[in-house]
């Protein structure tokens, strides 16, 4: 019996789980809970039988094993004496008898245990069935008490399109809420209590379950319509293509900022004695049940999830102070979005407060500017939240005066009376029931500022609304006859929150039909323009960048095919020609004519070179020095610089011809990429060239054919230098007033050089009747004349028979140095082409893509595309078309949601227009 009790005790938890499972099935599936619970119980009863059957089989198997063992034992004991054999057989027989008794006892115990467990399970199942029937009856009674929306009932019962696999009720394909609407509605279920502020205060939520469901549904619709409104703001500024917002107006001392902070539950608006709000603040409140903490976002500034509201306040202050004092106000809005699970979904616009008289440091037209700015926003369809202080006569309320100009019937104005604790209760109640300035949406009295930092009403960090609500409740409950439930007046920030949510939802819903038709017209016009202007050709920032990059790469490929070793050698040879001329001028051509008072003798004149002694050490030393100066001037660095400069110049020309010329930042990135690649190889290339040119630094071996080419080439170089001298002389003649004047100065300079005229020092006022500036130009003209004469002489010498052979190199230094320069250029360009040019052609395209990718990160791609006016207009039109289509899709989902206003009316309008909007 003890074994039976232990078995029953072990089965009891399992039986309890059966009951709990049945109850859960009943709660989750009210209409089919009994059938599912019975099925679960039957499965569990079957599982209870398996352990007992196994135990019974084990006992029978053990009994059979003893029966098979007896004959074998008898055969083994044949050889043992009969006495011992008989004793053993008797013992085994006794053991077999005891085993049979145990088997019978086990079968009896199993039967008793089975009956006990079955009886217990049946008793528990009966209780579970009774609980399930009571739950179903209670659910039916609850459904009879108030009407639950069909869409919510489907969610709670787990039915719908996903469960039934059909289009609607009864499988007839009738209309039903889309999946998005059902999911969203489920997400905000019960969120209205937090949005109203009941979870932050000790105020009781006296709404009925039907009202809670209605408010949650309204809150979900408002959230979706605010999303649509934010999209419409990006479409355009047309008053017909928009949904209303709540515009907050009031004088600077009316408590406007305190009301907004009470609604949000945080201090975040700028404060100060001077006018602080200089720009409209477009404030979007988002009820986010998943937000762990309250935070704000500035979408235009790229600031997201700012949890420190003092930082938000500082940012708003700085953005307002950025407006110049001379301008004071501007219509450029500041967009701020606040997320919190404890705020309602609202769209608010805070405007600068009205003033009566401009300050000393403020422009005289400030009052007019503020009034014009407010008039721009309070026009329909926006809702006006007119803030007035209770201690000010409503007849003098600037906010009410402004609202009556645009809303004379008071159909879209909510009056908010602040500072209710500063007037007598009777006067406060009379203001809230004012008949002289009636508003259809009524007045709400609030005390939106805490009276003290200490005591009962001390400010609580992060829970501003709780302190304000307690303060308001304490004050208004003190005067029940004036502010009680039967007084007919609206008081408290919680009431204001509810009214704002309800009015915004109703106003948006009433405007939805008109807005939808306007959006449809705008979409038709935009689609037409897209077809006419761009032939419906798609465009995106990514596609524009890819096309621009492909075009530039195509031009770069053409450049690589046309710029190679031959072009590099020509550029390097031109650079070395200038170095040759420098060496010739330094060793052969220059004469010291700078000082007019000194006439230096010339030991060996270049004019005497053709008749000089072939073994003259002077001319040998001059040529060797000039050659050494040419080969040791750093040809490697010069070659790398010339090549890098040429490539960089060509890349810049390609950029000027490409579409990147319209994008300065991207053009700079590509140009810097070229400079980076060239600089990476510059040092190694110059070092390699210097090593390859080392043999020529000691003995440049010039071949006869190289001499002949140098002789032919140097004549052209000298002729180019002669042309430059003549051009410079012509420029000097024009600068001094003509050739005659310049010759007079040159004659004076020549006489001074020969000593015919004695000039005492270099006087600042000049000499010989010529100014110092004119004498400087005369000396320059004499230099150019002498240089031209020398070049003409050397051209003739290079063409002479004397310079025809290599053996006369000392008589023809120009030809020899030109041949050396050609040999240096040919050797350097071989290394330059491999180490720098080919490497650049391979690395540059990849470097451009990498640098552009870094540059385009973080919104740079969109900015890049919009720098081109044509592309910007194309993208704007496509963006507008996509936004309008997205808005229509969201409105379609909103109209399909049960309970959304205007759904049937819009369907009728679509049918009358002959097309289906949704």
């Amino acid at each position: 019996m003890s074994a039976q009790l232990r078995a029953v005790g072990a089965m009891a938890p399992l039986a309890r789980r059966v009951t709990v499972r049945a109850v859960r099935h009943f709660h989750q599936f009210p209409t089919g809970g009994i059938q599912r619970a019975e099925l679960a119980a039957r499965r569990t009863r079957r599982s209870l039988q398996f352990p007992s059957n196994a135990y019974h089989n084990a006992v029978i198997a053990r009994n059979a094993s003893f029966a098979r063992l007896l004959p074998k034992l008898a055969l083994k004991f044949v050889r043992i004496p009969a006495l011992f054999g008989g004793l053993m057989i008797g013992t085994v027989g006794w053991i077999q008898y005891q085993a049979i008794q145990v088997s019978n006892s086990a079968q009896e115990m199993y039967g008793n245990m089975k009956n006990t467990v079955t009886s217990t399970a049946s008793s528990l199942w009966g209780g579970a069935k009774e609980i399930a029937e009571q739950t179903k009856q209670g659910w039916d009674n609850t459904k009879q008490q108030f009407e639950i929306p069909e869409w919510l009932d489907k969610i709670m019962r787990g039915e719908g399109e996903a469960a039934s696999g059909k289009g609607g009720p009864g499988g007839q394909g009738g209309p039903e809420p889309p999946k998005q609407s059902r999911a969203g509605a489920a997400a905000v279920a019960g969120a209205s209590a937090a949005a109203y502020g009941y979870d932050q205060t000790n105020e009781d939520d006296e709404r009925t379950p039907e009202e809670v469901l209605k408010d949650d549904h309204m809150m979900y619709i408002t959230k979706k319509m605010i999303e649509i409104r934010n999209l419409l703001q990006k479409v355009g500024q047309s008053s017909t293509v928009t949904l209303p917002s709540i515009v907050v107006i009031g004088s600077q001392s009316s408590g406007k900022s305190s009301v907004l902070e009470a609604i949000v539950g945080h201090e975040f608006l700028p404060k100060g004695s001077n006018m602080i709000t200089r720009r409209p603040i477009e404030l979007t409140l988002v009820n986010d049940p998943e937000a762990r903490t309250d935070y704000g976002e500035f979408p235009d500034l790229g600031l997201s999830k700012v949890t420190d509201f003092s930082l938000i306040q500082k940012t708003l202050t700085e953005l307002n102070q950025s407006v110049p004092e001379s301008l004071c106000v501007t219509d450029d809005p500041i967009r701020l979005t606040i997320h919190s699970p404890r705020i309602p979904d609202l769209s608010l616009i805070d405007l600068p407060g009205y003033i009566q008289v401009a300050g000393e440091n403020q422009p005289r037209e400030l009052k007019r500017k503020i009034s014009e700015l407010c008039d721009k926003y309070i026009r329909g369809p926006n809702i006006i939240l007119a803030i007035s202080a209770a201690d000010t006569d409503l007849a003098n309320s600037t906010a009410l005066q402004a609202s009556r100009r645009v809303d004379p019937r008071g159909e879209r104005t909510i009056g908010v009376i602040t500072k209710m604790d500063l007037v007598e209760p009777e006067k406060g109640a009379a203001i809230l029931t004012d008949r002289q300035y009636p508003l259809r949406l009524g007045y709400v009295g609030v005390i939106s500022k805490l009276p003290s930092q200490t005591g009962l009403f001390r400010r609580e960090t992060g829970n501003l609304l709780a302190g304000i609500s307690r303060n308001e409740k304490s004050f208004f409950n003190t005067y029940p006859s004036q502010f009680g439930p039967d007084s007919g007046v609206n008081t408290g920030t919680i009431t204001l929150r509810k009214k704002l949510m309800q009015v915004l939802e109703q106003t948006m819903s009433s405007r939805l039909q008109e807005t939808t038709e306007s959006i449809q017209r705008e979409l038709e016009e935009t689609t037409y323009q897209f077809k006419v202007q761009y032939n419906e050709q798609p465009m995106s920032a990514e596609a524009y960048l890819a096309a621009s990059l492909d075009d530039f790469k195509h031009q770069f490929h053409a450049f690589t095919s046309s710029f190679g070793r031959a072009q590099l050698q020509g550029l390097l040879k031109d650079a070395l020609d200038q170095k040759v001329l420098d060496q010739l001028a330094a060793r052969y051509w220059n004469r010291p004519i700078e000082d007019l008072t000194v006439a230096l003798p010339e030991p060996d004149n270049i004019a005497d070179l053709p008749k000089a002694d072939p073994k003259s050490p002077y001319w040998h030393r001059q040529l060797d020095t000039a050659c050494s100066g040419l080969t040791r001037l750093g040809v490697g660095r010069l070659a790398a610089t010339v090549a890098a400069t040429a490539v960089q110049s060509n890349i810049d020309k390609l950029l000027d011809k490409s579409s990147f010329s319209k994008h300065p930042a991207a053009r700079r990135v590509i140009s810097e990429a070229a400079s980076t690649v060239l600089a990476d190889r510059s040092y190694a290339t110059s070092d390699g060239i210097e090593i390859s040119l080392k043999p020529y630094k000691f003995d440049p071996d010039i071949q006869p054919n190289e001499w002949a080419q140098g002789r032919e080439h140097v004549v052209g170089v000298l002729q180019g230098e002669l042309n430059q001298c003549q051009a410079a002389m012509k420029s000097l003649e024009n600068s001094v007033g003509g050739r005659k004047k310049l010759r007079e100065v040159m004659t004076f300079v020549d006489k001074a050089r020969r000593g015919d005229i004695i000039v005492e020092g270099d006087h600042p006022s000049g000499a010989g009747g010529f100014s110092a500036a004119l004498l400087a130009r005369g000396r320059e003209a004499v230099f150019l004349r002498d240089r031209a004469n020398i070049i003409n002489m050397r051209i003739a010498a290079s063409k002479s028979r004397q310079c025809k052979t290599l053996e006369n190199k000392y008589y023809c230094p120009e030809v020899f140095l030109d041949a050396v320069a050609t040999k240096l250029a040919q050797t350097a360009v071989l290394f330059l082409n491999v180490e720098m040019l080919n490497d650049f052609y391979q690395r540059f395209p990849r470097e451009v893509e990498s640098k552009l990718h870094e540059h385009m990160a973080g919104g740079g791609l969109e900015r890049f595309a919009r720098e081109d006016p044509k592309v910007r207009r194309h993208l704007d039109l496509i963006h507008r078309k996509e936004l309008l289509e997205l808005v229509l899709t969201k409105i379609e989902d909103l109209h399909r949601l049960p309970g959304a206003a205007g759904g049937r009316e819009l369907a009728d309008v679509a049918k009358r227009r002959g097309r289906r909007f949704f």
Side-chain angles (χ1 to χ4, degrees):
M1 183 58 68
S2 59
Q4 277 184 306
L5 293 178
R6 284 194 300 271
V8 172
M11 296 300 171
L14 181 61
R16 284 196 298 270
R17 286 197 296 270
V18 174
T19 305
V20 173
R21 187 184 306 168
V23 174
R24 286 180 178 175
H25 273 282
F26 218 89
H27 279 291
Q28 295 178 2
F29 309 101
T31 58
I34 298 177
Q35 292 83 353
R36 292 184 175 87
E38 289 177 351
L39 180 60
R42 285 198 298 270
R43 291 174 178 173
T44 308
R45 286 201 302 273
R46 285 199 300 268
S47 66
L48 292 177
Q49 298 174 5
F50 296 153
S52 300
N53 291 337
Y55 177 79
H56 177 66
N57 294 336
V59 175
I60 294 176
R62 197 177 299 116
N63 186 16
S65 65
F66 277 106
R68 291 194 300 268
L69 184 63
L70 183 59
K72 295 180 180 180
L73 292 175
L75 292 175
K76 289 183 179 181
F77 291 133
V78 169
R79 299 174 184 176
I80 302 175
L83 179 61
F84 293 101
L87 181 61
M88 184 61 65
I89 292 173
T91 304
V92 172
W94 181 81
I95 293 174
Q96 181 178 3
Y97 170 77
Q98 292 296 327
I100 293 173
Q101 292 297 325
V102 171
S103 175
N104 295 335
S105 177
Q107 291 180 2
E108 182 179 0
M109 180 183 65
Y110 164 73
N112 295 336
M113 182 179 64
K114 179 178 180 181
N115 294 334
T116 303
V117 172
T118 303
S119 176
T120 304
S122 299
S123 176
L124 293 174
W125 165 243
K129 185 175 181 181
E130 183 178 357
I131 293 174
E133 290 177 352
Q134 293 177 0
T135 304
K136 183 176 183 300
Q137 183 178 1
W139 173 256
D140 295 337
N141 293 336
T142 304
K143 290 179 62 179
Q144 294 174 1
Q145 291 177 6
F146 58 89
E147 185 65 23
I148 296 178
E150 182 181 359
W151 60 272
L152 182 59
D153 185 40
K154 288 183 179 181
I155 292 175
M156 299 182 66
R157 293 192 291 106
E159 297 180 359
E161 183 178 353
S164 64
K166 300 181 180 180
Q172 302 300 323
E176 66 168 347
K179 294 180 180 180
Q180 180 182 0
S181 301
R182 293 198 302 267
V188 300
S192 59
Y196 288 158
Y198 290 126
D199 63 335
Q200 304 177 64
T201 65
N202 55 4
E203 184 173 346
D204 296 331
D205 188 354
E206 299 178 354
R207 298 175 297 169
T208 63
E210 183 179 9
E211 291 174 342
V212 172
L213 288 175
K214 182 179 179 181
D215 290 346
D216 290 345
H217 185 60
M218 176 201 69
M219 188 172 174
Y220 175 74
I221 294 175
T222 304
K223 180 190 291 290
K224 292 302 178 183
M225 286 193 288
I226 289 178
E227 292 178 1
I228 293 172
R229 175 194 172 276
N230 293 336
L231 289 175
L232 290 176
Q233 283 185 325
K234 302 177 182 179
V235 172
Q237 298 298 327
S238 175
S239 59
T240 58
V241 187
T242 187
L243 286 174
S245 298
I246 300 174
V247 180
V248 185
I249 59 174
S251 62
Q252 289 191 8
S253 59
S254 60
K256 178 167 57 71
S257 299
S258 299
V259 171
L260 286 175
E261 290 179 339
I263 294 174
V264 176
H266 290 278
E267 293 184 357
F268 67 98
L269 290 174
K271 293 180 175 63
S273 57
N274 197 3
M275 191 183 72
I276 299 300
T277 304
R278 303 177 182 179
R279 300 171 59 183
I281 301 177
E282 294 184 0
L283 178 62
T284 301
L285 306 185
V286 179
N287 181 271
D288 188 357
E290 298 181 358
R292 297 184 178 180
T293 182
D294 301 353
Y295 64 89
E297 294 180 333
F298 291 90
D300 295 341
L301 304 179
L303 297 176
S304 59
K305 291 194 175 182
V306 183
T307 57
D308 187 358
F309 278 78
S310 63
L311 181 58
I312 295 178
Q313 187 179 52
K314 180 181 179 181
T315 304
L316 289 174
T317 302
E318 292 176 351
L319 291 175
N320 279 282
Q321 290 178 349
S322 64
V323 179
E325 290 286 346
S326 58
L327 192 60
C328 280
V329 293
T330 178
D331 59 354
D332 183 21
I334 303 171
R335 293 181 176 88
L336 171 63
T337 303
I338 295 179
H339 296 254
S340 173
R342 295 178 293 274
I343 58 175
D345 290 291
L346 292 176
S347 177
L348 303 164
I349 301 177
D350 182 28
L351 296 175
Y354 290 103
I355 63 172
Q356 298 298 329
V357 180
E360 181 179 357
N361 298 327
Q362 296 173 340
R364 295 182 179 180
E365 64 273 12
L366 177 60
K367 179 180 179 181
R368 176 182 57 81
K369 286 184 176 181
I370 295 176
S371 179
E372 291 176 352
L373 177 63
C374 293
D375 289 346
K376 175 183 176 181
Y377 278 91
I378 63 178
R379 290 196 298 259
N382 287 339
I383 304 161
I384 304 173
L385 193 66
I387 310 293
S388 305
D391 56 353
T392 303
D393 191 357
L394 290 185
N396 299 325
S397 173
T398 313
L400 288 177
Q401 292 175 3
S403 67
R404 289 178 71 86
R405 288 198 304 268
V406 296
D407 182 28
R409 300 173 60 180
E411 294 181 346
R412 53 185 183 87
T413 302
I414 302 175
V416 177
I417 308 301
T418 62
K419 306 178 184 180
M420 291 291 294
D421 54 340
L422 299 184
V423 297
E424 295 296 330
E426 293 78 10
K427 182 179 178 180
I431 294 175
L432 298 180
T433 57
D434 186 75
R435 301 301 179 188
Q436 186 176 0
Y437 304 98
L439 300 176
R440 187 177 67 84
L441 301 178
Y443 291 86
V444 180
V446 297
I447 307 174
S448 55
K449 196 169 184 180
L450 293 177
S452 175
Q453 297 286 344
T454 58
L456 176 64
F457 305 116
R458 61 182 177 86
R459 195 178 305 275
E460 300 181 26
T461 303
N463 196 10
L464 179 63
L465 180 61
I468 291 175
S469 179
R470 286 198 301 270
N471 183 30
E472 290 177 331
K473 187 174 183 180
S474 174
F475 177 79
F476 292 128
N477 288 349
T478 306
Y479 308 98
S481 59
Q482 289 82 14
F483 306 113
D486 300 330
S487 62
V489 298
N490 295 321
T491 59
T493 304
I494 300 296
T495 303
L496 177 60
R497 271 190 169 195
K498 289 191 281 187
K499 180 178 282 293
L500 293 178
M501 293 174 62
Q502 294 167 356
V503 171
L504 183 61
E505 190 272 339
Q506 293 170 2
T507 308
M508 284 185 167
S509 299
S510 64
R511 289 278 304 180
L512 205 54
Q513 176 179 343
E514 179 182 354
T515 302
T516 305
E517 293 178 348
S518 300
I519 293 173
Q520 184 68 22
R521 290 193 296 268
E522 290 282 343
L523 180 58
E524 291 175 355
E525 176 64 22
T526 303
T527 304
Y528 174 76
Q529 294 295 333
F530 182 53
K531 183 176 183 180
V532 171
Q533 298 182 23
Y534 303 103
N535 196 24
E536 297 183 342
Q537 181 181 359
M539 171 61 72
S540 64
E542 294 83 359
Y544 175 67
L545 175 61
S548 301
L549 198 55
D550 288 343
D551 178 64
F552 176 74
K553 286 183 177 179
H554 178 74
Q555 297 182 29
F556 177 73
H557 179 71
F559 162 70
T560 59
S561 303
S562 61
F563 190 85
R565 187 171 63 183
Q567 288 73 23
L568 274 179
Q569 183 174 340
L571 293 172
L572 181 56
K573 184 60 172 62
D574 291 341
L576 288 175
D577 286 344
Q578 297 302 315
K579 300 299 181 181
V580 168
L581 293 175
D582 292 342
Q583 293 297 327
L584 290 172
R587 303 300 173 186
Y588 293 94
W589 300 347
N590 287 347
R591 298 177 63 186
I593 62 173
E594 287 77 9
D595 191 353
L596 297 180
T597 63
V598 180
L600 296 178
E602 299 179 11
D604 290 287
N605 198 305
I606 187 65
D608 301 332
L609 180 59
K611 300 177 181 180
D613 185 4
K615 298 182 180 181
S616 172
Y618 175 78
W619 296 114
H620 281 223
R621 185 171 60 253
Q622 291 294 91
L623 182 59
D624 293 341
T625 304
C627 182
S628 176
L630 181 63
T631 58
R632 298 172 186 270
L633 60 84
V635 178
R637 185 185 307 169
L638 175 65
T641 303
V642 168
T645 303
V647 172
Q648 185 72 52
S649 176
N650 280 277
I651 293 297
D652 292 339
K653 291 179 181 178
L654 293 179
L655 289 172
D656 292 337
K657 297 178 182 178
S658 69
S659 57
F660 287 104
S661 61
K662 304 173 185 177
H663 309 280
R667 186 190 185 283
R668 184 171 58 255
V669 169
I670 298 176
S671 181
E672 290 176 354
S675 301
T676 301
V677 176
L678 292 171
D680 287 344
R681 298 299 304 169
S682 179
Y683 177 77
T685 302
S686 61
D687 189 55
I689 292 174
E690 290 293 339
I691 294 174
S692 65
L693 295 179
K694 187 173 290 186
Y696 302 110
K697 294 181 180 180
F698 303 98
D699 184 18
D701 185 15
I702 304 300
Q703 301 300 322
N705 62 329
E706 295 174 345
W707 176 270
Q709 294 174 359
R711 182 186 176 208
E712 181 180 355
H713 180 266
V714 77
V715 173
V717 175
L718 293 174
Q719 187 63 47
E721 186 72 7
L722 178 61
N723 294 336
Q724 292 184 12
C725 290
Q726 293 173 351
M729 180 68 76
K730 187 67 176 177
S731 177
L732 284 174
E733 291 176 358
N734 297 331
S735 65
V736 300
R739 181 180 300 180
K740 182 178 179 181
K741 185 69 173 177
L742 184 61
R743 285 182 176 179
E744 292 176 359
V745 180
M746 293 172 62
T747 301
F748 179 80
V749 173
D750 287 337
K751 289 180 179 181
R753 289 176 59 191
R754 292 194 302 265
D756 297 342
I757 300 175
I758 299 175
V759 180
E760 296 179 357
D762 191 5
H763 201 275
S765 61
F770 301 104
S771 65
L774 193 57
L775 286 175
R777 285 181 174 85
R779 287 193 294 268
E780 186 177 353
V782 170
F783 171 80
L784 292 173
R785 181 199 62 193
D786 294 344
R787 175 62 57 85
N789 293 335
I790 293 174
I791 293 175
N792 278 319
M793 180 180 59
R794 297 313 302 168
I795 291 176
S798 300
K799 294 180 180 180
S800 66
R801 298 179 63 179
Q802 190 178 24
C803 293
K804 196 172 182 179
T805 61
L806 180 60
E807 289 76 8
N808 295 330
K809 65 178 181 179
Y810 292 105
Y811 294 104
C812 307
E814 297 86 0
V815 179
F816 180 77
L817 292 177
D818 185 271
V820 172
T822 301
K823 201 172 191 67
L824 293 175
Q826 290 175 347
T827 306
V829 78
L830 294 175
F831 199 86
L832 194 66
N833 184 63
V834 175
E835 290 297 323
M836 175 174 283
L837 200 61
N838 291 343
D839 180 77
F840 176 80
Y841 288 163
Q842 293 177 5
R843 290 179 54 194
F844 177 64
R846 297 194 298 269
E847 188 72 13
V848 168
E849 292 182 355
S850 176
K851 295 296 184 181
L852 283 179
H853 178 73
E854 295 177 2
H855 176 68
M856 299 301 173
L861 181 59
E862 191 72 18
R863 291 193 300 270
F864 163 80
R866 292 184 174 276
E867 288 175 351
D868 189 333
K870 294 182 179 180
V871 177
R872 180 174 64 250
R873 289 192 294 269
H874 195 168
L875 290 175
D876 287 342
L877 191 61
I878 293 177
H879 183 61
R880 180 181 179 84
K881 180 175 177 291
E882 292 175 348
L883 280 178
L884 289 171
E885 291 173 346
L886 178 60
V887 169
L888 283 179
T889 302
K890 287 186 173 292
I891 293 179
E892 174 187 359
D893 295 340
L894 191 60
H895 288 317
R896 287 177 178 174
L897 183 67
R904 180 176 301 174
E905 292 81 352
L906 283 177
D908 295 339
V909 171
K911 187 178 296 183
R912 289 197 301 269
R913 290 173 59 90
R915 62 174 63 90
R916 184 170 178 81
F917 290 165
F918 313 112

